[in-house]
Amino acid sequence: PRAVMLASRHAVAAAVAPASLAARAGRVSARGVAMASSTSTPRTIKLSSGTEIPVVGLGTWQAARGVVGAAVADALRLGYTHIDCAAAYANETEVGVALAEAFQTGTITRKGVFVTSKLWNDRRRPEDVRAACLQSLSDLKLDKLDLYLIHWPVVWKRGTLMQGDDRASLRECWRAMEELVTDGLVSAIGVSNFSQAELKQLLETAIIPPAVNQIEVHPRLPQTTLVNFCQANGIVVTAYSPLARGTGVLDHPGVTVLAASKGKTPAQIALRWNVERGVVVIPKSVTPTRIQSNLDLFGFELDESDIEKIRSLNDGHSTSTSPWSLSGRTGNRNKWLAPLISAALWPVFQVVKIDVQKMGRRGFLKWAWMK
């Protein structure tokens, strides 16, 4: 039914809210990066897997089809070597075309760009984990991912939203992720949106520890305790929505005055703040001038008084619209809201199933009784 299909697309699109650097100088590990001075800020960080992740990448969440390919092409042309993707962003096919064209024209080599993708929430059983990875590889036109993340610490039944799967678990899912490394399909594995408690539980049984935790981090939501925990345990933090989607950061006097004094943009100040904390940033933009500006973070530094001004923005605000997110003040609301939404969606998924990896393509929606 068309109405259900459109509603499902909008639900997923709202929910996933939710990742020249060619020089490889100044490499440090996740444990050491937090201690690096601003004058020696690295442009890459060495993951526990041994892979180097560029400190600045281009985010592709909410980059619409028909636009995202040009944004990726512009970013690679302007010196980006890190592209952050996800199956649920519904644009990996177009990103894949842009990557292939960049390789073919010599804009960049495959070895010169770091590509991340993410495993969606209803792929937790081993066979689904592998199939999802292979689908993303096919869409991105790659033979291997540099980094593959569990998108959210939830376990859903295949083809549903927010319907628990008692025949799957994060532990079982992680075992399947480890096999992807063993089989040479990915170089490093990690997680996204995991709390400290969830990371501790994963670390207890993991053979390959998570190399990255991608979380929402910006001046209004610094997540200092979680960032410190990750870095102390060799887990690199990547900040999505590092500009808080502009809300209360780019127009904050503490940021705008500081930007003017240094001859920089408010976005550069906010991004530099995270980079100096040893946090990877993946700002999203489809405008070439902003894409270029967001990469230009290494010709200046912030002193302690600057940091103090930015620290005043911390109010626990999360930009996430995902009803299962537990970040910031939104998380308190979702603790009671999520069960209600889950119950309301239950009858829907007795009738239809959705395939997030095919959003916008044939096969996205089908009757629940169809194979």
Side-chain angles (χ1 to χ4, degrees), residues 8-18 61-62 88 321 359:
S8 298
R9 285 181 180 174
H10 287 308
V12 173
V16 295
W61 178 70
Q62 284 195 331
T321 58
M359 186 160 49

Side-chain angles (χ1 to χ4, degrees), residues 178-214:
E178 292 173 330
E179 289 181 6
L180 297 178
V181 177
T182 303
D183 293 343
L185 295 175
V186 304
S187 294
I189 51 177
V191 297
S192 183
N193 299 295
F194 271 52
S195 68
Q196 183 171 324
E198 288 158 342
L199 286 170
K200 284 182 176 179
Q201 187 173 24
L202 178 59
L203 288 169
E204 287 177 358
T205 58
I207 297 172
I208 301 175
V212 168
N213 187 19
Q214 186 176 127

Side-chain angles (χ1 to χ4, degrees), residues 221-264:
L221 188 67
Q223 302 226 56
T224 303
T225 300
L226 180 53
V227 170
N228 289 344
F229 173 83
C230 289
Q231 292 177 341
N233 285 276
I235 302 170
V236 171
V237 174
T238 296
Y240 70 76
S241 297
L243 301 176
R245 302 190 209 174
T247 308
V249 172
L250 302 186
D251 58 353
H252 190 282
V255 175
T256 58
V257 171
L258 186 54
S261 71
K262 294 183 178 293
K264 299 296 178 181

Side-chain angles (χ1 to χ4, degrees), residues 328-345:
R329 293 176 299 184
T330 307
N332 294 326
R333 177 203 67 191
N334 288 344
K335 287 178 181 178
W336 61 265
L337 181 61
L340 296 178
I341 296 176
S342 177
L345 288 173

Side-chain angles (χ1 to χ4, degrees), residues 284-303:
K284 169 257 175 182
S285 179
V286 296
T287 307
T289 53
R290 289 179 181 172
I291 291 173
Q292 184 172 31
S293 175
N294 289 342
L295 183 62
D296 184 17
L297 306 179
F298 300 95
F300 70 102
E301 57 188 60
L302 303 175
D303 59 31

Side-chain angles (χ1 to χ4, degrees), residues 139-151:
D139 290 343
L140 292 167
K141 302 185 186 305
L142 300 175
D143 295 324
K144 188 174 186 177
L145 289 169
D146 297 285
L147 179 64
Y148 198 41
L149 308 177
I150 295 178
H151 206 147

